[in-house]
């Protein structure tokens, strides 16, 4: 059974009288900085001078510094710039300014797990990874709730690294929802595997190919869109709230029988073998090497693929249909 921490298990005490530097003020940075401040903690923000987050963070009442200066002032460093920017920001601005005994926190294990960032021995290295977009981290907090998070200790110099991580989790509201203990390896690998084979990659291809089959057989694209994309959300809501069995109880007997007999023939053992192969590429580090290399060249392949996703017929129909459903 996974170890799950809630509000009772966490105290803000390790962070009181400390200075927390939130590096980056994007999705996670803004949400976490605001939540920590509302929890009564001392937060400064570290950014590039003149970048577009600089004015926003200032206008929301934070002291904003260049990254190096924020790090030098802080006891706790929250690394919330994009993963592919982190190695450079780390090398040039964070590492040279780190104090002995500082706590370094990540929201995703990618750079540490794959060795793109190698923290010195004399700091704590922890992770508090909210399992939700930044917007939800803030909105749930304001509503008196929180989003679940994963928590991990990579390096425990102080002997209190877990207490620091739990305090951060409490400060951003995550212990209100529940915080699961994991490792940098498990968080990173499951995150990448999940987004590739199920969430982003899997769902996208399932929907696109389902749409193509219907349209190629001569059915109207609008009907196909409603069937495989719009309704996918409604089915997912049922699964999310009630589980797969619960979803089955919510659809017709015909859908139950068709789904249970035909589903495994479409998503069959061969597909599962391919999922396993993709997962092994993540685990071996092969995917990370490929992505770091692609990113270092300016992500030409990513841009090409995004363009082709944009021009898929599903998108043209989608634009029309969504106008109908959601207005302009
Ligand atoms: P983001 O792209 O929304 O924000 C980036 C911020 O970093 C911006 O304020 C930008 O100005 C700043 N920045 C970029 N390059 C910089 C540089 N060189 N120097 C200084 N500042 C710089 O990033 P994000 O989506 O919030 O991701 C941050 C971390 O959180 C990542 O590790 C990511 O994996 C993790 N995470 C994100 C989400 C999410 O909601 N998107 C969810 C869970 C975990
Ligand atoms: Mg992910």
């Amino acid at each position: 059974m996974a170890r799950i921490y809630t509000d009772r298990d966490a105290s803000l005490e390790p962070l009181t009288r400390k200075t927390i530097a939130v590096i980056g003020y994007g999705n996670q940075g803004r949400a976490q900085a605001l939540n920590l401040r509302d929890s009564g903690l001392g937060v400064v923000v570290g950014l590039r001078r003149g970048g577009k987050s600089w004015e926003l963070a200032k206008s929301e009442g934070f002291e904003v510094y260049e990254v190096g200066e924020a790090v030098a002032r802080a006891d706790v460093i929250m690394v919330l710039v994009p993963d592919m920017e982190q190695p450079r920001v780390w090398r040039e601005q964070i590492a040279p300014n780190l104090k002995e005994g500082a706590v370094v926190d990540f929201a995703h294990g990618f750079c540490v797990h794959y060795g793109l960032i190698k923290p010195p021995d004399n700091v704590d290295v922890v992770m508090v990874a909210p399992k939700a977009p930044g917007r939800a981290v803030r909105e749930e907090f304001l509503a008196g709730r929180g989003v679940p998070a994963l928590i991990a200790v990579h390096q425990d110099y102080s002997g209190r690294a877990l207490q620091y991580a739990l305090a951060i989790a409490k400060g951003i509201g995550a212990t209100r929802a529940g915080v699961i203990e994991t490792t940098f390896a498990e968080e990173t690998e499951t995150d990448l595997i999940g987004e590739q084979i199920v969430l982003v990659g899997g769902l996208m291809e399932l929907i696109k190919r389902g749409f193509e089959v219907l349209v190629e057989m001569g059915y109207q694209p609008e009907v196909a869109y409603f069937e495989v994309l719009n309704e996918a959300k409604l089915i997912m809501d049922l699964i999310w709230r009630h589980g797969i069995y619960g979803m089955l109880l919510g659809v017709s007997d015909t859908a139950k029988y068709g789904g249970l007999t035909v589903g495994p023939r479409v998503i069959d053992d061969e597909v599962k073998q391919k999922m396993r192969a993709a997962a092994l590429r993540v685990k071996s580090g092969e995917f990370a090497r490929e992505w770091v290399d692609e990113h270092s060249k300016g992500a030409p392949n990513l841009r090409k693929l995004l363009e082709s996703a944009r021009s898929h017929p599903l998108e043209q129909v989608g634009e029309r249909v969504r106008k109908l459903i959601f207005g302009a």
Side-chain angles (χ1 to χ4, degrees), residues 246-267:
M247 175 277 287
L248 286 169
L249 299 182
V251 300
S252 71
D253 284 348
T254 311
K256 284 187 194 71
Y257 181 72
L260 286 167
T261 55
V262 178
R265 277 186 247 150
V266 176
I267 309 295

Side-chain angles (χ1 to χ4, degrees), residues 224-291:
Y225 183 93
F226 271 109
E227 189 54 43
V228 302
L229 190 147
N230 203 60
E231 273 199 63
K233 153 118 176 69
L234 310 176
I235 292 292
M236 193 58 227
D237 283 347
L238 286 175
I239 294 177
W240 181 71
R241 185 62 188 80
H242 304 287
I244 287 182
Y245 185 72
M247 175 277 287
L248 286 169
L249 299 182
V251 300
S252 71
D253 284 348
T254 311
K256 284 187 194 71
Y257 181 72
L260 286 167
T261 55
V262 178
R265 277 186 247 150
V266 176
I267 309 295
D268 60 5
D269 278 341
E270 230 172 283
V271 173
K272 185 171 169 188
Q273 276 310 325
K274 291 180 203 161
M275 288 181 168
R276 209 191 311 269
L280 288 171
R281 279 188 78 245
V282 167
K283 204 164 164 55
S284 71
E286 192 183 335
F287 170 77
R289 281 191 293 278
E290 175 189 317
W291 169 223

Side-chain angles (χ1 to χ4, degrees), residues 23-29 32 46-48 51-54 67 79-83 85-86 88-89 93 106-108 129-135 137 187:
I23 311 303
Y25 201 71
N27 289 311
Q28 288 298 327
Q32 296 196 29
L47 285 170
R48 285 169 296 197
K52 74 176 181 302
S53 310
W54 184 285
V67 174
V79 185
L80 300 177
V81 298
D83 297 294
E85 296 293 327
Q86 287 178 14
R88 194 159 45 88
V89 176
Q93 287 149 294
F106 292 87
H108 181 30
K131 289 279 98 183
R135 176 191 285 267
V137 171
E187 186 274 340

Side-chain angles (χ1 to χ4, degrees), residues 108 131 187-188 190-192 194-196 199-200:
H108 181 30
K131 289 279 98 183
E187 186 274 340
T188 304
T190 54
D191 186 76
L192 296 177
E195 70 198 12
Q196 290 177 19
L199 306 175
V200 181

